[in-house]
Amino acid sequence: MFEQLPAIAPDPILGLSAAFKQDTNPSKIDLGVGVYKDENGNTPILKAVAEAQSRLLASETSKVYITPQGVQGFIDGMLGLILGQQSSVIKDGRVAAVQAPGGCGALRILAELLKRTNADTKVWVSDPTWANHIPLIGNAGLELATYPYFDKAQASIKFDEMMACINTEVKAGDVVLLHGCCHNPTGADLTKEQWHVVKDAALKIGFIPFIDVAYQGFGVGLEEDAYGIRLIAENVPECLIAASCSKNFGLYRERVGLAAIISSNSETKQIVQSQIQSVARGIYSMPPSYGGALVDIILADTSLNQLWQSEVTEMRERMIQLRALLVDNLAKQNASKDFSFVNDQKGMFSYLCISPEQVQKLRKENSVYFVDSSRVNIAGINHNNVETLAAAIAGVL
Ligand code: LMR
Protein backbone atom coordinates (compact mmCIF):
# COMPACT_ATOMS: atom_id res chain seq x y z
CA MET A 1 0.00 0.00 0.00
CA PHE A 2 2.90 2.37 0.59
CA GLU A 3 3.64 2.63 -3.13
CA GLN A 4 0.97 5.29 -3.34
CA LEU A 5 3.05 7.62 -1.16
CA PRO A 6 5.09 10.28 -2.96
CA ALA A 7 8.83 10.48 -2.21
CA ILE A 8 9.78 13.57 -0.22
CA ALA A 9 12.64 15.89 -1.21
CA PRO A 10 15.53 15.98 1.30
CA ASP A 11 15.11 18.41 4.22
CA PRO A 12 16.50 21.84 3.20
CA ILE A 13 18.99 21.88 6.08
CA LEU A 14 19.77 18.19 6.73
CA GLY A 15 19.89 17.44 2.99
CA LEU A 16 22.86 19.79 2.69
CA SER A 17 24.98 17.62 5.02
CA ALA A 18 24.36 14.59 2.81
CA ALA A 19 25.23 16.57 -0.35
CA PHE A 20 28.38 17.93 1.33
CA LYS A 21 29.56 14.43 2.29
CA GLN A 22 29.25 13.28 -1.31
CA ASP A 23 31.23 16.22 -2.72
CA THR A 24 34.82 15.13 -3.55
CA ASN A 25 36.25 18.67 -3.83
CA PRO A 26 39.05 18.85 -1.18
CA SER A 27 38.37 22.58 -0.69
CA LYS A 28 34.66 22.12 0.04
CA ILE A 29 33.21 24.28 2.83
CA ASP A 30 30.23 23.30 5.02
CA LEU A 31 28.23 26.21 6.43
CA GLY A 32 24.95 24.29 6.48
CA VAL A 33 23.50 22.57 9.53
CA GLY A 34 23.77 24.54 12.78
CA VAL A 35 26.47 22.64 14.61
CA TYR A 36 29.39 24.32 16.40
CA LYS A 37 32.81 23.54 14.91
CA ASP A 38 36.28 24.37 16.17
CA GLU A 39 39.19 25.74 14.11
CA ASN A 40 39.81 22.23 12.72
CA GLY A 41 36.20 21.71 11.71
CA ASN A 42 35.51 19.27 14.56
CA THR A 43 32.59 19.29 17.00
CA PRO A 44 34.27 18.00 20.15
CA ILE A 45 32.49 16.86 23.32
CA LEU A 46 32.65 19.75 25.82
CA LYS A 47 35.06 19.13 28.72
CA ALA A 48 32.27 19.69 31.25
CA VAL A 49 30.16 17.10 29.42
CA ALA A 50 33.04 14.58 29.33
CA GLU A 51 33.53 14.96 33.09
CA ALA A 52 29.77 14.63 33.73
CA GLN A 53 29.77 11.44 31.61
CA SER A 54 32.49 9.88 33.80
CA ARG A 55 30.61 10.81 36.95
CA LEU A 56 27.34 9.44 35.57
CA LEU A 57 29.00 6.19 34.48
CA ALA A 58 30.47 5.73 37.95
CA SER A 59 27.25 6.48 39.79
CA GLU A 60 24.43 5.10 37.64
CA THR A 61 23.15 1.81 39.02
CA SER A 62 20.03 1.14 36.97
CA LYS A 63 18.44 1.71 33.60
CA VAL A 64 14.92 1.56 34.97
CA TYR A 65 12.51 4.17 33.52
CA ILE A 66 12.84 7.70 34.77
CA THR A 67 9.71 9.65 35.73
CA PRO A 68 7.38 10.88 32.97
CA GLN A 69 8.42 14.51 33.49
CA GLY A 70 12.12 13.63 33.24
CA VAL A 71 15.09 14.27 35.52
CA GLN A 72 13.82 16.74 38.14
CA GLY A 73 17.30 18.22 38.74
CA PHE A 74 17.57 18.88 35.01
CA ILE A 75 14.18 20.63 34.94
CA ASP A 76 15.01 22.79 37.97
CA GLY A 77 18.50 23.61 36.66
CA MET A 78 17.22 24.57 33.23
CA LEU A 79 14.39 26.70 34.62
CA GLY A 80 16.94 28.58 36.75
CA LEU A 81 19.19 29.07 33.74
CA ILE A 82 16.41 30.34 31.51
CA LEU A 83 14.14 32.23 33.91
CA GLY A 84 16.82 33.30 36.42
CA GLN A 85 17.45 32.11 39.97
CA GLN A 86 15.23 34.89 41.35
CA SER A 87 12.29 34.16 39.04
CA SER A 88 8.98 34.97 40.70
CA VAL A 89 7.06 32.54 38.48
CA ILE A 90 9.21 29.64 39.75
CA LYS A 91 8.77 30.78 43.37
CA ASP A 92 5.01 31.11 42.86
CA GLY A 93 4.77 27.54 41.51
CA ARG A 94 3.38 28.67 38.14
CA VAL A 95 5.74 26.73 35.84
CA ALA A 96 4.82 23.30 34.47
CA ALA A 97 7.69 21.59 32.65
CA VAL A 98 8.91 18.33 31.18
CA GLN A 99 12.26 17.20 29.89
CA ALA A 100 11.81 16.69 26.15
CA PRO A 101 13.70 14.83 23.42
CA GLY A 102 15.51 17.92 22.11
CA GLY A 103 14.20 21.40 21.42
CA CYS A 104 12.20 19.82 18.57
CA GLY A 105 10.46 17.49 21.01
CA ALA A 106 9.68 20.47 23.24
CA LEU A 107 8.21 22.45 20.34
CA ARG A 108 6.01 19.52 19.37
CA ILE A 109 4.77 18.85 22.93
CA LEU A 110 3.79 22.50 23.27
CA ALA A 111 2.08 22.50 19.87
CA GLU A 112 0.09 19.40 20.88
CA LEU A 113 -0.86 21.07 24.16
CA LEU A 114 -2.11 24.13 22.24
CA LYS A 115 -4.12 21.85 19.98
CA ARG A 116 -5.73 20.17 23.02
CA THR A 117 -6.47 23.55 24.59
CA ASN A 118 -8.05 25.04 21.50
CA ALA A 119 -7.98 23.21 18.15
CA ASP A 120 -8.41 26.55 16.34
CA THR A 121 -5.29 28.15 17.85
CA LYS A 122 -3.43 30.24 15.30
CA VAL A 123 0.36 30.39 15.67
CA TRP A 124 2.23 33.35 14.21
CA VAL A 125 5.85 32.78 13.21
CA SER A 126 8.44 35.28 12.02
CA ASP A 127 9.09 35.64 8.30
CA PRO A 128 11.54 33.99 7.99
CA THR A 129 11.75 31.42 10.76
CA TRP A 130 13.63 28.16 11.27
CA ALA A 131 12.33 25.87 8.50
CA ASN A 132 11.49 23.04 10.94
CA HIS A 133 9.14 25.23 12.98
CA ILE A 134 6.58 24.76 10.22
CA PRO A 135 6.22 20.95 10.39
CA LEU A 136 6.85 20.76 14.15
CA ILE A 137 3.95 23.10 14.87
CA GLY A 138 1.85 22.71 11.73
CA ASN A 139 1.81 18.89 11.80
CA ALA A 140 0.17 19.08 15.21
CA GLY A 141 -2.78 20.45 13.26
CA LEU A 142 -2.43 24.12 14.17
CA GLU A 143 -2.99 26.97 11.75
CA LEU A 144 0.19 28.94 10.99
CA ALA A 145 0.53 32.55 9.88
CA THR A 146 3.57 34.80 9.48
CA TYR A 147 4.47 38.23 10.77
CA PRO A 148 7.08 40.39 8.95
CA TYR A 149 10.47 40.22 10.65
CA PHE A 150 13.51 40.69 8.46
CA ASP A 151 14.22 43.05 5.59
CA LYS A 152 16.72 41.31 3.30
CA ALA A 153 17.39 44.48 1.29
CA GLN A 154 18.32 46.45 4.43
CA ALA A 155 19.78 43.43 6.29
CA SER A 156 17.88 44.41 9.43
CA ILE A 157 14.72 43.73 11.41
CA LYS A 158 11.60 45.50 10.13
CA PHE A 159 10.22 46.11 13.58
CA ASP A 160 7.62 48.71 12.60
CA GLU A 161 6.07 46.30 10.10
CA MET A 162 6.26 43.46 12.61
CA MET A 163 4.40 45.47 15.24
CA ALA A 164 1.89 46.86 12.73
CA CYS A 165 0.98 43.26 11.84
CA ILE A 166 0.83 42.14 15.47
CA ASN A 167 -1.27 45.14 16.51
CA THR A 168 -3.78 44.80 13.70
CA GLU A 169 -3.99 41.09 12.87
CA VAL A 170 -3.10 39.09 15.98
CA LYS A 171 -6.12 38.33 18.17
CA ALA A 172 -6.52 37.48 21.87
CA GLY A 173 -5.69 33.79 22.32
CA ASP A 174 -3.44 33.64 19.26
CA VAL A 175 0.11 32.46 19.86
CA VAL A 176 3.18 34.40 18.69
CA LEU A 177 6.39 32.41 18.31
CA LEU A 178 9.47 34.47 19.22
CA HIS A 179 13.14 33.48 19.17
CA GLY A 180 14.60 34.09 22.64
CA CYS A 181 17.99 35.03 21.20
CA CYS A 182 20.23 34.37 18.18
CA HIS A 183 17.34 34.33 15.70
CA ASN A 184 17.50 31.33 13.38
CA PRO A 185 17.99 31.89 10.44
CA THR A 186 18.81 35.63 10.39
CA GLY A 187 20.98 36.23 13.48
CA ALA A 188 19.01 39.48 13.92
CA ASP A 189 17.71 39.85 17.49
CA LEU A 190 15.18 42.19 19.06
CA THR A 191 16.73 44.95 21.20
CA LYS A 192 15.73 45.29 24.87
CA GLU A 193 13.44 48.20 23.96
CA GLN A 194 11.79 46.11 21.25
CA TRP A 195 11.17 43.25 23.71
CA HIS A 196 9.35 45.76 25.93
CA VAL A 197 7.15 46.79 23.00
CA VAL A 198 6.32 43.11 22.29
CA LYS A 199 5.59 42.49 25.98
CA ASP A 200 3.23 45.51 26.11
CA ALA A 201 1.45 44.29 22.96
CA ALA A 202 1.01 40.81 24.48
CA LEU A 203 -0.59 42.36 27.56
CA LYS A 204 -2.81 44.68 25.53
CA ILE A 205 -3.93 42.17 22.88
CA GLY A 206 -3.91 39.06 25.04
CA PHE A 207 -1.81 36.89 22.73
CA ILE A 208 0.32 34.10 24.19
CA PRO A 209 4.09 34.39 23.62
CA PHE A 210 5.78 31.10 22.68
CA ILE A 211 9.53 31.49 23.02
CA ASP A 212 12.02 29.15 21.38
CA VAL A 213 15.45 29.38 22.99
CA ALA A 214 18.01 27.14 21.33
CA TYR A 215 21.16 29.27 21.53
CA GLN A 216 21.30 30.77 25.04
CA GLY A 217 24.87 31.96 25.64
CA PHE A 218 25.81 32.19 21.97
CA GLY A 219 24.69 35.81 21.50
CA VAL A 220 25.92 38.17 24.23
CA GLY A 221 26.05 35.95 27.33
CA LEU A 222 23.97 33.39 29.23
CA GLU A 223 22.23 36.05 31.33
CA GLU A 224 21.98 38.73 28.64
CA ASP A 225 20.48 36.30 26.11
CA ALA A 226 17.64 35.55 28.53
CA TYR A 227 16.52 39.20 28.79
CA GLY A 228 13.48 38.89 26.52
CA ILE A 229 12.31 35.56 27.94
CA ARG A 230 12.57 36.79 31.52
CA LEU A 231 10.79 40.03 30.69
CA ILE A 232 7.90 38.11 29.13
CA ALA A 233 7.84 35.42 31.83
CA GLU A 234 7.72 37.94 34.66
CA ASN A 235 5.08 40.19 33.10
CA VAL A 236 2.78 38.25 30.80
CA PRO A 237 0.45 35.90 32.70
CA GLU A 238 0.79 32.92 30.35
CA CYS A 239 3.59 31.86 28.02
CA LEU A 240 5.28 28.82 26.54
CA ILE A 241 9.01 28.09 26.37
CA ALA A 242 10.84 25.48 24.27
CA ALA A 243 14.53 25.18 25.13
CA SER A 244 17.31 23.13 23.59
CA CYS A 245 20.60 21.88 25.06
CA SER A 246 21.90 20.78 21.65
CA LYS A 247 24.10 23.80 21.02
CA ASN A 248 25.14 25.37 24.32
CA PHE A 249 25.87 21.96 25.90
CA GLY A 250 26.94 20.42 22.58
CA LEU A 251 24.56 17.51 23.27
CA TYR A 252 23.06 17.39 19.76
CA ARG A 253 22.62 13.63 19.36
CA GLU A 254 21.49 13.06 22.93
CA ARG A 255 18.29 15.02 22.21
CA VAL A 256 17.88 17.12 25.34
CA GLY A 257 15.35 19.90 25.66
CA LEU A 258 12.77 21.40 27.97
CA ALA A 259 9.12 22.26 27.39
CA ALA A 260 7.79 24.75 29.94
CA ILE A 261 4.46 26.50 30.35
CA ILE A 262 3.86 29.44 32.64
CA SER A 263 0.27 29.56 33.83
CA SER A 264 -1.48 32.45 35.51
CA ASN A 265 -1.73 30.58 38.82
CA SER A 266 -0.41 27.49 40.59
CA GLU A 267 -3.74 25.56 40.38
CA THR A 268 -3.75 25.81 36.59
CA LYS A 269 -0.09 24.81 36.59
CA GLN A 270 -1.05 21.44 38.16
CA ILE A 271 -3.58 20.82 35.40
CA VAL A 272 -1.11 21.84 32.69
CA GLN A 273 1.58 19.57 34.20
CA SER A 274 -0.77 16.59 33.97
CA GLN A 275 -1.68 17.53 30.40
CA ILE A 276 1.88 17.81 29.07
CA GLN A 277 2.84 14.52 30.69
CA SER A 278 -0.17 12.94 29.01
CA VAL A 279 0.80 14.49 25.66
CA ALA A 280 4.32 13.08 26.03
CA ARG A 281 3.01 9.65 27.12
CA GLY A 282 0.95 9.51 23.94
CA ILE A 283 3.92 10.25 21.69
CA TYR A 284 7.06 8.69 23.18
CA SER A 285 6.01 7.81 26.75
CA MET A 286 8.95 9.31 28.62
CA PRO A 287 12.13 11.14 27.69
CA PRO A 288 15.57 9.56 27.28
CA SER A 289 17.46 10.02 30.54
CA TYR A 290 21.10 10.31 29.53
CA GLY A 291 21.49 13.87 28.23
CA GLY A 292 19.27 15.37 30.90
CA ALA A 293 21.27 13.56 33.58
CA LEU A 294 24.49 15.13 32.20
CA VAL A 295 23.00 18.65 32.21
CA ASP A 296 21.74 18.05 35.75
CA ILE A 297 25.26 17.07 36.92
CA ILE A 298 26.84 20.11 35.22
CA LEU A 299 24.36 22.71 36.45
CA ALA A 300 24.32 21.39 40.02
CA ASP A 301 28.11 21.34 40.53
CA THR A 302 29.77 24.74 41.03
CA SER A 303 33.10 23.93 39.40
CA LEU A 304 31.61 21.94 36.51
CA ASN A 305 29.09 24.74 35.96
CA GLN A 306 31.94 27.26 35.80
CA LEU A 307 33.88 25.06 33.38
CA TRP A 308 30.77 24.76 31.17
CA GLN A 309 30.17 28.53 31.26
CA SER A 310 33.79 29.16 30.23
CA GLU A 311 33.33 26.75 27.31
CA VAL A 312 30.14 28.56 26.24
CA THR A 313 32.07 31.85 26.41
CA GLU A 314 34.87 30.37 24.30
CA MET A 315 32.42 29.20 21.61
CA ARG A 316 30.61 32.55 21.61
CA GLU A 317 33.79 34.63 21.42
CA ARG A 318 35.16 32.49 18.62
CA MET A 319 31.98 32.98 16.57
CA ILE A 320 32.13 36.76 17.14
CA GLN A 321 35.75 36.77 15.90
CA LEU A 322 34.79 34.69 12.87
CA ARG A 323 32.16 37.24 11.90
CA ALA A 324 34.81 39.97 11.86
CA LEU A 325 37.19 37.69 9.96
CA LEU A 326 34.61 37.03 7.26
CA VAL A 327 33.67 40.72 6.94
CA ASP A 328 37.38 41.71 6.67
CA ASN A 329 38.09 39.05 4.07
CA LEU A 330 35.07 40.04 1.98
CA ALA A 331 36.29 43.66 2.03
CA LYS A 332 39.79 42.48 1.02
CA GLN A 333 38.23 40.67 -1.93
CA ASN A 334 36.60 43.98 -2.95
CA ALA A 335 33.16 42.42 -2.65
CA SER A 336 30.64 44.67 -4.36
CA LYS A 337 28.36 44.49 -1.29
CA ASP A 338 28.99 45.85 2.21
CA PHE A 339 28.77 42.88 4.58
CA SER A 340 29.52 44.80 7.79
CA PHE A 341 25.99 43.95 9.05
CA VAL A 342 27.29 40.41 9.70
CA ASN A 343 29.17 41.82 12.72
CA ASP A 344 25.90 43.00 14.27
CA GLN A 345 24.11 39.66 13.94
CA LYS A 346 24.13 37.27 16.89
CA GLY A 347 24.78 33.62 17.52
CA MET A 348 25.55 30.84 15.14
CA PHE A 349 23.84 32.12 12.02
CA SER A 350 24.11 34.98 9.64
CA TYR A 351 21.90 35.86 6.73
CA LEU A 352 24.23 37.02 3.96
CA CYS A 353 21.27 38.54 2.11
CA ILE A 354 22.32 37.18 -1.29
CA SER A 355 19.94 35.48 -3.72
CA PRO A 356 19.09 31.73 -3.82
CA GLU A 357 20.63 31.65 -7.34
CA GLN A 358 23.91 33.02 -5.94
CA VAL A 359 23.81 30.46 -3.10
CA GLN A 360 23.22 27.63 -5.59
CA LYS A 361 26.05 28.88 -7.79
CA LEU A 362 28.40 28.86 -4.79
CA ARG A 363 27.39 25.27 -4.08
CA LYS A 364 27.74 24.11 -7.67
CA GLU A 365 30.89 25.96 -8.68
CA ASN A 366 32.77 26.43 -5.40
CA SER A 367 31.53 23.54 -3.22
CA VAL A 368 30.42 26.03 -0.57
CA TYR A 369 27.32 24.64 1.16
CA PHE A 370 24.70 26.71 2.90
CA VAL A 371 20.92 27.08 2.92
CA ASP A 372 19.25 28.73 -0.11
CA SER A 373 17.90 31.50 2.11
CA SER A 374 21.58 32.65 2.42
CA ARG A 375 21.85 31.50 6.05
CA VAL A 376 25.42 30.52 6.90
CA ASN A 377 26.66 28.67 9.96
CA ILE A 378 29.34 31.09 11.17
CA ALA A 379 31.05 28.31 13.18
CA GLY A 380 31.91 26.51 9.93
CA ILE A 381 34.35 29.31 9.02
CA ASN A 382 38.01 28.99 10.06
CA HIS A 383 41.34 30.63 9.29
CA ASN A 384 42.09 28.04 6.60
CA ASN A 385 38.89 28.40 4.61
CA VAL A 386 37.93 32.06 5.08
CA GLU A 387 39.94 33.44 2.16
CA THR A 388 38.58 30.83 -0.27
CA LEU A 389 35.09 31.45 1.07
CA ALA A 390 35.29 35.24 0.76
CA ALA A 391 36.72 34.99 -2.78
CA ALA A 392 33.91 32.63 -3.78
CA ILE A 393 31.19 34.89 -2.32
CA ALA A 394 32.69 38.01 -3.89
CA GLY A 395 32.83 36.09 -7.18
CA VAL A 396 29.08 35.41 -7.36
CA LEU A 397 27.89 38.90 -6.45
C1 LMR B 1 19.79 24.16 12.26
O1 LMR B 1 18.96 25.06 12.23
O2 LMR B 1 20.64 23.99 11.37
C2 LMR B 1 19.81 23.21 13.43
O3 LMR B 1 18.88 23.60 14.37
C3 LMR B 1 19.70 21.79 13.04
C4 LMR B 1 18.37 21.41 12.48
O4 LMR B 1 17.81 20.44 12.96
O5 LMR B 1 17.88 22.04 11.54
Side-chain angles (χ1 to χ4, degrees), residues 147-255:
Y147 59 85
Y149 187 76
F150 190 75
D151 184 341
K152 228 175 161 177
Q154 301 297 323
S156 63
I157 293 181
K158 37 183 171 187
F159 191 66
D160 290 347
E161 276 185 54
M162 169 179 164
M163 290 317 301
C165 171
I166 288 179
N167 284 320
T168 54
E169 294 185 46
V170 174
K171 307 270 175 301
D174 283 1
V175 171
V176 176
L177 185 77
L178 300 155
H179 298 222
C181 61
C182 309
H183 185 269
N184 179 5
T186 67
D189 281 353
L190 297 177
T191 62
K192 285 184 180 175
E193 293 70 32
Q194 289 170 338
W195 274 108
H196 281 265
V197 176
V198 172
K199 179 260 295 175
D200 290 342
L203 288 171
K204 189 167 143 239
I205 299 167
F207 70 75
I208 316 295
F210 182 165
I211 307 180
D212 184 4
V213 56
Y215 300 89
Q216 189 178 353
F218 276 16
V220 181
L222 283 164
E223 292 293 305
E224 295 86 341
D225 290 352
Y227 185 86
I229 305 180
R230 293 179 189 177
L231 181 76
I232 299 281
E234 293 297 318
N235 293 285
V236 181
E238 295 178 309
C239 77
L240 306 142
I241 298 169
S244 168
C245 301
S246 294
K247 328 281 165 158
N248 54 5
F249 286 87
L251 283 169
Y252 310 89
R253 68 172 63 168
E254 303 302 351
R255 312 309 298 135

